[in-house]
Amino acid sequence: MTNANSEQPLQPEDVYAEYRELRASRPVSRDDDGPWRVALYEDVRHVMKTHATFSSEVSQAVQEDGSARVSMLFSDPPVHSRLRDLVSRAFTPRQVSAQADAIKARCEQLVTRLAADDTGDLIKGLAAPLPVGVIATMLGVEDGDFDTFKRWSDVIFGNIGEILMATPSEEAVAASEEMNAYFLERIAALRTSPRSHLLSDLVHVETDEGRLTDAELLMFCALLLIAGNETTTSLIVGATRVFHEQPETFDWLKKSPEMVPGFLEETLRYHSPFKMSIRRALHDVELRGQKISEGDLILPLIASANRDERVFERASEFVFDRNPNPHLAFGLGIHSCLGASLARLEAKIAVTSMLEHLDGISISDFNPAELDGFGAPASIPVSIRRAA
Ligand code: HEM
């Protein structure tokens, strides 16, 4: 990371050094038979937009299972179009903005508790419970079931690679089965007695293409956990990391809170929570002179694209008022993030609440390499300066 006013890196960042090297000399490359890494902004955009060539059905096992168990994120049209159309009808801007008051109340509670002491844990105190609580509310999880829900969420996310490749651990299978049984009961009850939350709306949504089946509803519950939790946690961690490395940013935002949305866009670019996606080539194709064969896996490196010097001026600097900021943190094309406005709302409320209640926050034992890893760490001890 560099200071806003200097070209000097503040911390070594191995993953970003590697991405820089890939962009400079091996923009489309792979090790042995591993997946292709695509590092340039233009190419990442191309791969993520061109679903007729670069399929999201990455797991052979998923393909064999047929549509019922296919997650929307890992499916192509026409299965994807049907699911996205149905789900978008319930996942509306109204559903999202209806959550603002509850998110504010939750942030007030969490940040006040965090501010009660000089030290605390960013993950346990704010960055994890906020998104899990939001998703639990959307799915109608009752208060008493919250801890169990969080455990399922942690196990499923922790095993996502294996789940995707159809080799989940026993622990992940058990967590999925427990969660499915829980939600199947809920879904049956919601069919006869609708409630006012997203899962209930999804149960009742109907188009010419029919309704979502139980299996599809279960798929969506798991997808929200996978897609919406850890990513939002990472965005809050990214913002706090900027406050740690550039404390003056905290002071600027305190004076000008209207700049929080732009600051968060730069955080999404600079500390992209979803570092890479995955696709499979549907036929032989050439990308920047490299021959990619049918069936090969491809990793569009979103975090590298977001630091591409060809697109972003001062790409390796955090420029808190960058404008325009065409980052790819939420993806693009048919799979572009369905929860982007919700994630932005949650992070905006969380950061605003921090600005109101604190005079500063810093990360103890700051370890950039750990923060740049896959997913957020389980714990991030912080020192807190309470607002006077
Ligand atoms: C900062 C937070 C978030 C980031 C950076 C993020 C990023 C992304 C990205 C990059 C994709 C596209 C992946 C691909 O094309 O392979 C995606 C898809 C998706 N996201 Fe998010 N996401 C975030 C938060 C959320 C939240 C809060 C929710 C819901 C509660 C959510 C729900 C989804 C869903 C359902 C999809 C699949 C869309 C589809 O396949 O059509 N995301 N997200």
Side-chain angles (χ1 to χ4, degrees):
M1 172 175 283
T2 60
N3 183 293
N5 303 315
S6 94
E7 291 290 321
Q8 294 306 307
L10 292 178
Q11 298 290 341
E13 286 183 310
D14 293 345
V15 64
Y16 287 104
E18 187 192 336
Y19 291 161
R20 195 176 314 123
E21 192 270 319
L22 288 176
R23 287 194 302 275
S25 46
R26 296 179 294 149
V28 178
S29 64
R30 69 167 166 179
D31 299 328
D32 304 321
D33 286 340
W36 292 94
R37 287 164 307 207
V38 173
L40 294 178
Y41 183 95
E42 195 188 329
D43 297 343
V44 168
R45 267 196 108 217
H46 174 68
V47 168
M48 294 187 76
K49 243 177 40 184
T50 317
H51 60 266
T53 302
F54 302 103
S55 165
S56 290
E57 289 186 5
V58 290
S59 162
Q60 306 291 357
V62 166
Q63 287 171 21
E64 282 155 19
D65 273 345
S67 66
R69 286 184 50 208
V70 168
S71 154
M72 188 167 133
L73 184 58
F74 300 113
S75 66
D76 291 339
V79 172
H80 175 266
S81 334
R82 172 175 173 276
L83 293 174
R84 176 108 184 181
D85 182 36
L86 281 160
V87 166
S88 309
R89 281 168 198 256
F91 213 113
T92 57
R94 193 177 52 80
Q95 262 280 355
V96 171
S97 50
Q99 310 217 37
D101 288 345
I103 296 174
K104 266 186 206 142
R106 184 104 179 102
C107 277
E108 270 307 290
Q109 193 191 34
L110 293 169
V111 175
T112 312
R113 210 180 296 154
L114 203 59
D117 225 329
D118 295 342
T119 57
D121 191 318
L122 177 68
I123 298 290
K124 296 189 178 110
L126 175 66
L130 180 64
V132 176
V134 169
I135 290 171
T137 308
M138 290 166 91
L139 297 180
V141 173
E142 280 155 22
D143 282 357
D145 300 326
F146 191 84
D147 288 345
T148 314
F149 181 70
K150 169 82 176 97
R151 183 174 58 77
W152 293 330
S153 161
D154 288 347
V155 173
I156 292 173
F157 187 82
N159 283 272
I160 181 63
E162 292 78 5
I163 291 171
L164 192 52
M165 290 304 147
T167 54
S169 66
E170 276 179 30
E171 192 193 19
V173 171
S176 296
E177 283 174 0
E178 278 175 39
M179 191 172 90
N180 286 350
Y182 175 87
F183 279 115
L184 269 180
E185 230 176 78
R186 293 288 138 129
I187 289 165
L190 291 168
R191 290 212 191 279
T192 48
S193 322
R195 307 280 293 271
S196 59
H197 53 66
L198 179 77
L199 182 59
S200 180
D201 290 357
L202 285 172
V203 166
H204 293 280
V205 86
E206 195 165 2
T207 68
D208 293 346
E209 305 258 3
R211 289 180 168 208
L212 290 161
T213 62
D214 282 358
E216 288 165 347
L217 287 163
L218 291 180
M219 166 284 289
F220 193 69
C221 294
L223 176 57
L224 282 194
L225 288 188
I226 294 163
N229 259 342
E230 194 82 11
T231 45
T232 311
T233 298
S234 293
L235 176 55
I236 296 170
V237 170
T240 310
R241 180 172 175 177
V242 177
F243 296 151
H244 171 91
E245 295 197 281
Q246 301 176 4
E248 68 280 11
T249 311
F250 195 91
D251 304 332
W252 286 328
L253 290 177
K254 234 171 140 57
K255 286 188 207 115
S256 312
E258 72 283 0
M259 302 194 81
V260 168
F263 159 80
L264 286 172
E265 293 309 302
E266 180 67 344
T267 309
L268 283 158
R269 181 191 78 84
Y270 199 78
H271 293 305
S272 305
F274 202 114
K275 294 219 162 16
M276 64 186 78
S277 193
I278 185 161
R279 297 290 188 267
R280 189 183 287 279
L282 286 177
H283 49 80
D284 292 356
V285 58
E286 209 175 283
L287 195 59
R288 246 169 241 278
Q290 289 289 352
K291 183 176 167 278
I292 295 178
S293 302
E294 178 183 338
D296 283 357
L297 286 175
I298 299 136
L299 303 175
L301 302 178
I302 293 175
S304 169
N306 282 344
R307 299 249 189 139
D308 191 338
E309 308 70 9
R310 294 149 197 79
V311 175
F312 298 98
E313 270 179 44
R314 298 155 73 202
S316 62
E317 293 176 49
F318 187 94
V319 180
F320 84 104
D321 53 354
R322 185 182 292 280
N323 187 20
N325 194 343
H327 65 73
L328 303 180
F330 289 119
L332 76 159
I334 60 169
H335 290 281
S336 70
C337 180
L338 202 60
S341 52
L342 179 62
R344 285 181 165 120
L345 180 71
E346 285 182 62
K348 181 178 155 204
I349 294 174
V351 166
T352 307
S353 195
M354 281 162 92
L355 295 168
E356 278 166 14
H357 290 278
L358 313 181
D359 272 346
I361 181 161
S362 58
I363 299 175
S364 320
D365 303 325
F366 183 60
N367 180 348
E370 190 189 12
L371 295 176
D372 283 334
F374 178 71
S379 158
I380 300 185
V382 284
S383 299
I384 285 150
R385 279 190 295 125
R386 241 168 298 160

